[in-house]
Amino acid sequence: MSKDLSKVRNIGISAHIDSGKTTLSERILFYTKRIHAIHEVRGKDGVGAKMDSMELEKERGITIQSAATYCTWKDTNINIIDTPGHVDFTVEVERALRVLDGAILVLCSVGGVQSQSITVNRQMTRYNVPRLAFINKCDRTGANPEKVTRQLRDKLELNAHLLQIPIGLENDLKGVVDLVTMRAVYFDGDNGEDIREETIPAELLAAAEEKRESLLEELSMFSEELMEALLEGGAVDTELIYAAARKGTLAMEFTPVLLGSAYKNKGVQSLLDAVTRYLPSPTDVVNMALDLKESEREFPVSNNPDDPLIMLAFKLEDGRYGQLTYVRTYQGKLAKGDTVYNSRTGKKVKIGRLCRMHASEMEEIDSCGSGDIVALFGIDCASGDTFTSEEISCSMTSMHIPEPVISLAVIPADNKSQMNMSKALNRFTKEDPTFKTFVDHETGETIISGMGELHLEVYIERMKREYSAVVEVGAPQVAYRETISQRAEFNYTHKKQTGGSGQYGRVAGYLEPLEEGEYEFVDNIVGGVIPREFITSCDKGFKKGVEKGSLCGSPITGVRAVINDGAYHAVDSSDMAFQQASLGAFREGYLKARPIILEPIMKVAVEGPTEFQGPVMGSINQRRGMIIGTAEEGAYSVVEAEVPLSEMFGYSTTLRSLTQGKAEFTMEFATFKPVPKNVSEQLIKKYQDERKNS
Amino acid sequence: MGNELIGNNPLRALGLEEKVGGKLQSMMGLVMSRAGLGKTAILVQFALDCMLLGNKVLHVAIGEGLDKTRVWYDDILSLLTDGEKVEDIPEVMKNRMIMTFKESSFSRALLEERLDDLVQQNIYRPECLIIDGYDFASNDKQSLEELRSFMHDRGLKMIWFSALSHREDTRVSRDGVPAPCHEVGDLFDTVLFIRPDGENVNLDILKCEECSLDPGTTLLLDPSTLLIKKV
């Protein structure tokens, strides 16, 4: 790989579902000669697009896992992460954005900026990812790149400007006019691989000149030289324009917009030019790491290949080559046979094989340097771990991981499936931090939890296909939480005399609501009324207490347990006795602390024709939803609301029938809120019945 | 959460607090200024006041997005409190709904239709209406009269509008209401004008039939926060 970091681009491709980003990735691989034939996402040849390496993805025509690949365009190395579009998989998008330096935001020329584009854009802003936009599907009926560019400005508040105008639209899309070079660009040949430049068609010249003028005016804000050149009149050097656009893009104050149709092989090469021209190289971006030797002091990574190594494992995959760990190197270099340290576990890890990934195929390499994205073999680690060389101890800043909101029981059909399921779950939880699993001690069932129905559905499918684990699946359950709403005191004595040495421990103190965080233990014991060696036993006992609440059996969150008094016995007190005493104390205090049930509330956005706004609002209202706002843009409107997750099961069917299939919705987790009294009573009753029957 | 949150809330400053408490008849108010002086900030202060008094507010933003409008509320509330956002306080949050319209698609009839949708389906029954970005230059007096009678019919306690005035347009009504509202000034019970004066920003009371303050009185705005200063 090139040592010149200015010739490296680490980019992601993010978009609303069905905007054609996988098709776009496929074309990029074709034009950069990484593949030699094009296969459509839902193509008749049954091969599927290259980036959709998982069988399931091929079948559904959607991208579930990021597939990393690299390619070379002209003299620049481009690492691409193809990211999923569905909101249930946003952790994938977020992880990809965390390690990337720039991104392409793909939009459909008909659908424009849709709710998922808004989510993705927000994520890009959170991780300071400079972006450019590609308006895809300009061959479709109703294509309107001008409108989409306006939406980029209005809805995403990006300073978006078209760098091209289309030559023809819909079925007549022939090529684009480049507003910087003022040339018409056509994409000839069977697969659009032959680029032909011509003079601008006469009927488009006036429009092109007008657009160019306003583009240059905008870009002059980023370059005094360009401003001077414009004031002087005469020809403007294209390099000056490129430099101004690059400066604006890197500062995230300008968003270049390109257009075309990946499916019809138009405009993709110009997009690649734009990637190399405007998106940042690793040295253009400041990435921060935390120095673990200096109380997690933040410092910028150097990008210098001669400095000690820092790299982040951002994705794990269990494929046909064994476990693959995708890493991004931030400084230093890594070679086969090197020993590195996992800063989380402190363990030494020897690097065996090192490779570049090309969707599901790989290419072995001997070394990689700063700025590279590569895959390692046989490394035991979790997603998000940082690896460094021996002389330093640091961690890349932590990633934002949302809490799971939905769970369901999975019951293996037989012993073989049981074993396979364990293997699968072990793998999935390592790969995806939003996917969690545990065994319900009361029912003995294995519970999986995640970010939405589709999220869990995909893992169940993967269990069946990749691990041959046949499982029965229970109905989806909302992941409720319990918490306390007031301070309450406890004073509990655990005393047991059953022959031999007895058990004795008394624990007193109080529970109080904790505003931020799940659980906190405070030791205010003075005078040794509880000996030091039993303080951790108390903490353990309280931790056991918060595992399961007594209202509906959900985990308890937001509790501070403070102990300030107690008693012990020289012979009968033990670790176990104080654990039991604390568990009893917690249960005693919990009931007095007015416990309540919390439910996950989802932020829901419904987009559709304005004529259906009334029924859509009604349907949200019926689901205990609170409408936060509506945005109306002529024939099209968006209703934003907060709705309890428990009410959202089956909403897609309701919405389809309400709006003749013309509206769609996305949802993401917003917060936990107390459930209304009637719902709380139902949940408590249900839990009590279950306990009686078990 | 009570009204004690705002030590010197703008409705109290004007002596209008009782009205939203439900004791007086409905009123229509207008905040005017040149571009960028803080009309929305004043409207949002009125809206937050109404919300804190337990009234449901419908904020209609014309030509502005949902997120931007939400940010206005969060910014003002965070100045008034210890950095809190509206969404952090469920009792306040439930009293606000935002509707945004593109300039070209907004009309009185459309707003009425949307409002009726909310009320008839029992989704949200607003008591105070904020209309930010209404185009007074392009809409006639009749539209406003209709809006006023609509407000009476639906039992709304308050409607606050914002209007953009231009330095070059010097027309003014007899009671001092500048263009473009000089011909519709009589439809408003209260008209306020934001006027920069050196380092100060003044809020002139041009007209206030229900206020405890007389027309001609000037309130001070904090130039950095645009909050109404203590009288």
Side-chain angles (χ1 to χ4, degrees), chain B residues 147-160:
Chain B
L147 257 175
R148 195 178 168 110
S149 68
F150 174 77
M151 176 179 89
H152 283 292
D153 296 347
R154 301 300 188 279
L156 286 161
K157 291 175 184 171
M158 275 189 175
I159 306 188
W160 280 99

Side-chain angles (χ1 to χ4, degrees), chain A residues 35-55:
Chain A
I35 56 171
H36 303 290
I38 287 170
H39 305 288
E40 302 310 335
V41 175
R42 292 190 187 94
K44 287 175 191 153
D45 60 7
V47 180
K50 197 78 196 170
M51 297 289 276
D52 282 346
S53 59
M54 290 164 68
E55 227 179 290

Side-chain angles (χ1 to χ4, degrees), chain A residues 421 424-425 428 459-465 467-469:
Chain A
M421 185 180 87
L425 293 180
F428 299 158
Y459 280 115
I460 289 160
E461 281 291 316
R462 283 186 63 191
M463 263 190 247
K464 287 181 189 164
R465 285 163 190 250
Y467 291 86
S468 312

